[in-house]
Amino acid sequence: MKHLLRLLFFAVCLLSSSHALRAQRAKYAAIINALREAELFDEERRAQLTTVLEQDTTLTFPVTLDQDAQLLEASEQGLRLQTSEVGTTEVRLLPAPQGSIIALIETVSSPQTDALITFLSPSGTPLSSTDLLRLPTTEDFLRGLHLPESTASDRLRTLLDPLHCALTWATTSSTPTLLVRPTLLLSEEDKQSDELKALIAQLPSLASSWSGQTFTPFVRATHP
């Protein structure tokens, strides 16, 4: 009788483990498929990510992949990797009529935060970024701020030319929404200017939502 109970207990555990594994694979099926079909990253990195996303029912982030990389976040529609001390790569699937378009955001954090976004078809073919998204200009961030004629205003314009931005995805929207904020490389003198700091504090973040085919025009996500 005890032997039979042990066998039944083992069978229940085996079935539960199998069910959990299937659930895990189903949860990340879309992103795993995108990694494979679009050949994102090199073969070794794809294998590492697939193994991690399939093996556990619950993941505790960050997950170390090797000495050079960590998986920082993962969801049904995307993931974010730390690829170096100053670099991250984020993959996001954008639903579209002919299959999900893949958005890649590559970010460096030093000496100044800056990001680049590119788009791929489901098979990994590069798509024209300008057809899908028009990124904001310096004037888009300055519009509506009513800058005074001052040395601080002139300095702010100088800091914004050329324009460097951080790109992130909004976490509170069910529709993929891209947030863009300008980043500035301040000198020690800049940091001592209260007037300049007050102007910088007015700079908004701008938001654009995915419509299913393109991104909508940018609007203010935050207000001074």
Side-chain angles (χ1 to χ4, degrees), residues 165-177:
C165 291
L167 308 179
T168 57
W169 296 102
T171 58
T172 57
S173 175
S174 57
T175 300
T177 299

Side-chain angles (χ1 to χ4, degrees), residues 67-150:
Q67 62 180 1
D68 299 319
Q70 289 184 319
L71 178 60
L72 301 177
E73 301 175 28
S75 68
E76 293 89 337
Q77 297 301 317
L79 55 80
R80 187 163 66 93
L81 285 173
Q82 185 82 39
T83 53
S84 70
E85 288 186 2
V86 298
T88 62
T89 297
E90 187 166 4
V91 179
R92 180 66 184 257
L93 303 184
L94 305 174
Q98 283 74 44
S100 294
I101 289 174
I102 301 165
L104 288 176
I105 296 178
E106 297 171 283
T107 302
V108 293
S109 58
S110 181
Q112 177 177 359
T113 298
D114 199 15
L116 171 70
I117 186 168
T118 55
F119 300 96
L120 304 172
S121 72
S123 63
T125 303
L127 301 174
S128 172
S129 295
T130 55
D131 290 342
L132 299 174
L133 174 71
R134 186 196 72 82
L135 286 170
T137 65
T138 296
E139 291 305 317
D140 290 326
F141 289 104
L142 294 178
R143 188 175 294 114
L145 296 192
H146 305 296
L147 296 179
E149 292 186 7
S150 67

